[in-house]
Amino acid sequence: MIRVLVCDDHQIVRQGIKQILADADDIGWAGEAANGPDAIAQVRRGGIDVLLLDIAMPQRDGLDVLKQLKAEFPKLPVLMLSTYPDRQYAVRSLKLGASGYLNKSADSEQMIDAIRTVARGRLFITPSVAEQLAGAVGAGRGADDELPLHERLSHREYQVFRLLATGHSVGEIAEQLALAPNTVSTYRARILDKTGVRNDVELALYAVRHQLLT
């Protein structure tokens, strides 16, 4: 029996996944969490074979939670769930140790297949994610200039980048990410330098042009 923990801040999503898993004889419901810290606490208590982890959550986003969990439990299969297009987070999730990336628009059969696949210790990669991964690997083999500018951002820089691009102030970002405002300002300066833009307006236009925002 594959024991699955689902972490998503929307109760209706958690309940929907629970109904999907109920149809699989080899998959059991191990619990649910509405935020990252709760998910980490439940994993630490044990009895979890696979974690379904949403990316967009309050307090700490899914990628932050993934990074911590893979440091503590490197063998735990984590399947990332998201409403974002694959090009935004799939490759970043896999680089941080996720066993797979699944869009919430996937059908129930694909979700069941994904859980079974990662539970066996294998990667679950859809054709769309495979295309993104191949592109990232291909770019990595060439000169650094071939990489899209935003791909040079670290995980934390990319978090700040998206928040700046959606109109959040330095103070708001500092509060949301539990960082000092000066630290956020430092990240902002690095982001502007790496993407070659001059201000937050140009940064937002860059994000729209590269289809990095929903």
Side-chain angles (χ1 to χ4, degrees):
M1 183 67 71
I2 304 170
R3 299 164 296 181
V4 176
L5 171 67
V6 176
C7 180
D8 192 291
D9 60 320
H10 295 98
Q11 184 178 13
I12 191 170
V13 173
R14 300 195 303 271
Q15 291 301 310
I17 295 175
K18 186 174 184 179
Q19 291 179 7
I20 291 173
L21 302 189
D23 293 331
D25 294 336
D26 58 336
I27 299 177
W29 183 259
E32 59 186 273
N35 55 65
D38 189 15
I40 292 171
Q42 292 194 53
V43 170
R44 286 172 176 167
R45 288 197 290 268
I48 307 299
D49 296 314
V50 173
L51 171 63
L52 269 61
L53 179 61
D54 185 24
I55 286 183
M57 292 189 298
Q59 299 185 43
R60 297 180 64 183
D61 75 15
L63 294 185
D64 267 347
V65 175
L66 171 66
K67 188 174 181 179
Q68 179 172 342
L69 284 174
K70 296 308 292 186
E72 294 187 34
F73 307 93
K75 295 184 179 180
L76 175 69
V78 180
L79 180 62
M80 303 303 293
L81 300 176
S82 178
T83 56
Y84 297 118
D86 295 345
R87 63 180 173 273
Q88 291 187 22
Y89 281 110
V91 174
R92 289 180 181 274
S93 297
L94 294 172
K95 285 182 177 179
L96 287 173
S99 296
Y101 183 97
L102 189 65
N103 198 282
K104 290 182 183 179
S105 63
D107 57 37
S108 57
E109 290 80 6
Q110 190 174 42
M111 179 172 289
I112 293 295
D113 180 47
I115 292 171
R116 289 171 176 160
T117 298
V118 301
R120 290 194 296 266
R122 297 168 53 193
L123 285 176
F124 177 83
I125 301 177
T126 63
S128 174
V129 171
E131 182 179 348
Q132 297 298 320
L133 189 60
V137 171
R141 289 175 178 168
D144 188 57
D145 288 342
E146 295 178 8
L147 285 172
L149 297 177
H150 58 274
E151 290 293 343
R152 304 179 191 180
L153 302 177
S154 69
H155 166 51
R156 182 64 85 183
E157 288 169 350
Y158 191 71
Q159 283 182 306
V160 175
F161 163 80
R162 281 184 52 84
L163 291 170
L164 287 170
T166 51
H168 290 75
S169 68
V170 167
E172 291 170 340
I173 296 171
E175 182 176 357
Q176 182 167 334
L177 299 181
L179 297 171
N182 286 344
T183 301
V184 175
S185 295
T186 298
Y187 280 126
R188 178 181 177 276
R190 291 178 187 170
I191 293 164
L192 295 181
D193 180 60
K194 288 184 179 182
T195 56
V197 302
R198 294 171 296 181
N199 51 52
D200 292 350
V201 173
E202 290 188 6
L203 194 66
L205 292 174
Y206 176 97
V208 172
R209 187 166 64 250
H210 289 83
Q211 300 181 317
L212 299 176
L213 302 178
T214 52

